[in-house]
Every structure is written in structure tokens, then in C-alpha cells.
Amino acid sequence: MSDLPFPIAREAVLRRRADPDLAGHDPHGPKEAVPGTGHGDSGPASKRIIVGYGFWIFLLSDIIVFSCFFAAYAVLQGSTAGGPTIKDIVDLPRTAIETGALLLSSFTCGLSYAATNARNKLWTQVFLGITAILGLIFVGLELQEFIELAGRGATPQRSAFLTGFYALVGCHGLHVSVGGLWLATMMAQVQLKGFRHEIIHRLICFNLFWHALDIVWVGVFSVVYLMGAAA
Amino acid sequence: MSELETDLHRHGGIGHEDHAPGDEPHESVGHWVRNYLLGLFFAVVLTICSFWAATSHMIWAPAVPVAIVVFAIAQMGVHLVFFLHITTGPDNTNNVLALAFGVLVVFLLVTGSVWIMYHLNHNMMPTDEMMQMQR
């Protein structure tokens, strides 16, 4: 082995490095940092990235939970057991106001984060406050709808369809309510602790959560209310 | 105080980092206000379109659910781009891959459930006949 001519081995290594088909297959990764890939010597991601990405994974799993409720609703939609159908219980004007409130709250939530990145405490709080009020309007309208329906005898135990309806819409409403509690906590933390790293990380997560809830609501109002009204 | 970490991160000072979903790349406040206004505009237009599709009788009735689904998916896309800042850039690869996997699981769950239950309902004996047999 030792009498192998060294330059030939070196030649082979150089040839392998120059081969475009083998580029990027170096087991030890590229020597230089490659922009945006996390490869190279740029080191582990900062906590801001890791926290945001981890929360993104959680949100996707939460959306998968919602998809189970959607599937249950779709399967049970016809099982009305002689009770009210979806067409009987849909109130489109209320749904339109709920949709507008939640969409605007998503907008103001984004503006609050823009204010956070400009390190403006006042506008951060103002927009978070508007977000909270719009969220309250949404939850209030949904509660009003549930109370009205229950008054007409359309309770969850009336039929499999109504169970699916209350489970899906109620699960979303519960998320918005919990999000509202989180929002109040964040306003207090911004006020008392200021824009510390961990507070900003929590604001990123809260923004993600609130925008994701609006995305789920797009599915709810389309599949439950609009398709129900059109059916 | 907190300027250090974020400014280093947002100017790409420490290497070239990924972009966290929901976080804002470094731009001026005006840029983000315009971005959110544009997103709100598209979302409102799409919402109005889907309410219109459901209530007016302009669209052939059996096609109405399809129209509603198309508008809903378009609006979800608008939310992802303008509110969650998901892009096709290389710093977003991880976010997009995770999202794609989530969408795959959601698709399998919903279509799989509807498909299987439709066939079960189809093949199930009507309840009164089953009661007859049990006597």
C-alpha cells in the first residue's frame, strides 16, 4: 500500500472534488456557509428562529387536529335524525360580521408586530388592544349564536350532525378564547417587561397562532356556513 | 438591550440564517403596513367572492361548493403569504416543507374519512331491515 504513488491519489481526490455530479455530497458538508441553508460554518440557528419554527410545527399539528373535526363534520352532516339541517341553522349576516371581525383582527395583529419591530410600545399596545376587542366581538357573536340555537332546541345532543357542528365551531371558538387570554397576558408582559428577547419570541408565536386561527376560520365559514347556505 | 440579537439576526450578521414563520424580514414599517393592507384587501375581496358565490344564483348550483372551495384555498394562500410571510426563498425551505407535510396529512385525513364513510353508508343495510333480521 505504502508504495502507491502519492500524486495519483491526490489526483483522484482533486478529480472527485471537481466532479459537478458529486458536488454537495461531501459527507462533511460544504466548507463555506451557503446562504439560507443552515449548512457550512454559520453555526446553529438563533433562539428566535428555533422558537418560531417549533411553534410553526405545533400549529401544523393543531391544524391536523382541526382537520379531524372537519372530517367528522363532513361525515356526520347528513345525520340530522329528523332535527334541524345546516340550512335551517345558518345565519349568514352574523357569519359575515364574525368573518370581518376576525379578518380585521388578523390585520391589526400583524400591524402590532410591525410596531414591535419598530420598538414602539404605544402602537404595539394599541394594535394588540384592537385585536383583543375584535376577538371579543367574534367570541361574543359565536356565543350568541350557540345560545339562540340551544333556545330553539338545537343542542349538541339533538343529532349527530349538531354534535359535529358544535364540536368543529366550538373548538375554533375555544381556540380564539384561549388566544384572547394569551393576548391579554402578552399586553401585560410588553407593558411591564418591555421588548426583551423572550417577550419578542412570545409575540412571534402569538402572531403565528392568531393568523393560523384566521386560516382555520376561512375553512369553517366556507365548509360549514357557506356550503350549508348554498346546499 | 434587546436590539443586539434581533439586529444581528435581521441584518444577517451572524451567518445566513433561516426565516422563522410569522417573523418579519428586516424592512421599514411602511413596507409592512403596505404588506398587511394588501393582504387585507385580497382577503376581503376573496371573502366577498365566496359569500357572493354562496348567496347569488349566478353560478350553476352543483358548482357552487367547488367555487367556495377554490376561493377558500386562494384566501388561505393570501394569509400564508401576506400575514405569515411564507415565501419560496431558500431561508423558508424548512417552513414550506413542514407546511407541505401538514397539508398532506390534512388531505389524507379529510378525503380518507369522507371516502371510507361514504362507502360504509352505501354498503350498510338499512336500519329497519336489520331490525327485522334480529327478530
Side-chain angles (χ1 to χ4, degrees):
Chain A
M1 289 301 276
S2 57
D3 58 338
L4 260 179
F6 178 68
I8 292 179
R10 187 170 168 278
E11 196 67 8
V13 169
L14 287 180
R15 222 183 308 123
R16 190 191 174 285
R17 278 197 189 156
D19 186 348
D21 290 339
L22 294 173
H25 290 266
D26 193 325
H28 302 293
K31 297 278 183 290
E32 302 294 318
V34 182
T37 60
H39 292 307
D41 54 6
S42 56
S46 72
K47 187 133 191 198
R48 186 180 177 118
I49 309 278
I50 292 170
V51 167
Y53 186 66
F55 200 77
W56 181 232
I57 301 288
F58 158 74
L59 274 182
L60 289 168
S61 72
D62 205 27
I63 286 175
I64 288 169
V65 170
F66 269 113
S67 80
C68 296
F69 283 94
F70 272 107
Y73 175 80
V75 165
L76 298 174
Q77 199 184 355
S79 317
T80 53
T85 64
I86 179 67
K87 211 176 167 64
D88 299 331
I89 64 173
V90 165
D91 180 8
L92 271 190
R94 181 191 283 125
T95 310
I97 301 173
E98 282 178 312
T99 305
L102 208 57
L103 184 57
L104 269 181
S105 81
S106 216
F107 172 69
T108 55
C109 188
L111 289 184
S112 86
Y113 189 56
T116 300
N117 276 334
R119 297 290 179 275
N120 189 322
K121 200 188 250 184
L122 176 66
W123 283 108
T124 303
Q125 295 287 40
V126 166
F127 282 122
L128 284 179
I130 299 175
T131 308
I133 293 167
L134 289 166
L136 266 181
I137 292 175
F138 176 86
V139 173
L141 282 171
E142 195 162 292
L143 273 180
Q144 190 198 20
E145 176 186 25
F146 283 2
I147 291 168
E148 262 184 41
L149 287 179
R152 284 159 49 189
T155 51
Q157 55 268 52
R158 176 65 188 83
S159 66
F161 151 66
L162 282 169
T163 309
F165 171 82
Y166 278 100
L168 174 57
V169 181
C171 182
H172 178 267
L174 204 61
H175 272 77
V176 177
S177 311
V178 172
L181 287 179
W182 186 4
L183 174 51
T185 316
M186 284 322 299
M187 286 179 74
Q189 291 191 353
V190 167
Q191 197 57 40
L192 296 176
K193 300 185 176 181
F195 294 123
R196 288 201 226 149
H197 295 174
E198 66 269 26
I199 305 297
I200 290 175
H201 297 167
R202 287 170 202 167
L203 283 173
I204 292 177
C205 293
F206 172 74
N207 262 268
L208 271 174
F209 185 73
W210 201 259
H211 293 316
L213 283 187
D214 203 14
I215 291 180
V216 172
W217 177 251
V218 171
V220 173
F221 84 71
S222 298
V223 170
V224 177
Y225 292 95
L226 292 185
M227 283 192 187
Chain B
M1 32 167 229
S2 57
E3 300 293 318
L4 184 66
E5 178 209 32
T6 48
D7 284 359
L8 272 179
H9 154 62
R10 297 174 87 210
H11 294 294
I14 24 176
H16 298 276
E17 288 213 293
D18 284 352
H19 168 67
D23 200 356
E24 290 173 353
H26 186 68
E27 295 282 356
S28 68
V29 177
H31 172 92
W32 291 117
V33 173
R34 278 193 297 281
N35 166 80
Y36 289 122
L37 276 173
L38 205 57
L40 182 69
F41 171 74
F42 285 134
V44 166
V45 168
L46 286 166
T47 305
I48 290 173
C49 282
S50 46
F51 273 80
W52 170 83
T55 50
S56 84
H57 297 285
M58 293 285 282
I59 298 178
W60 183 52
V64 168
V66 182
I68 293 173
V69 166
V70 169
F71 287 131
I73 291 174
Q75 194 176 344
M76 287 174 186
V78 166
H79 284 237
L80 285 175
V81 170
F82 288 94
F83 293 160
L84 290 170
H85 316 304
I86 301 291
T87 70
T88 53
D91 55 348
N92 257 283
T93 312
N94 290 333
N95 308 341
V96 174
L97 276 178
L99 176 67
F101 181 65
V103 170
L104 172 71
V105 175
V106 167
F107 174 78
L108 290 179
L109 270 169
V110 174
T111 55
S113 304
V114 172
W115 186 19
I116 290 173
M117 292 311 289
Y118 172 78
H119 283 277
L120 275 182
N121 284 342
H122 203 72
N123 293 334
M124 198 149 76
M125 194 179 289
T127 322
D128 44 342
E129 257 178 66
M130 201 168 356
M131 306 255 275
Q132 289 291 327
M133 284 181 71
Q134 280 171 348
R135 282 200 184 124

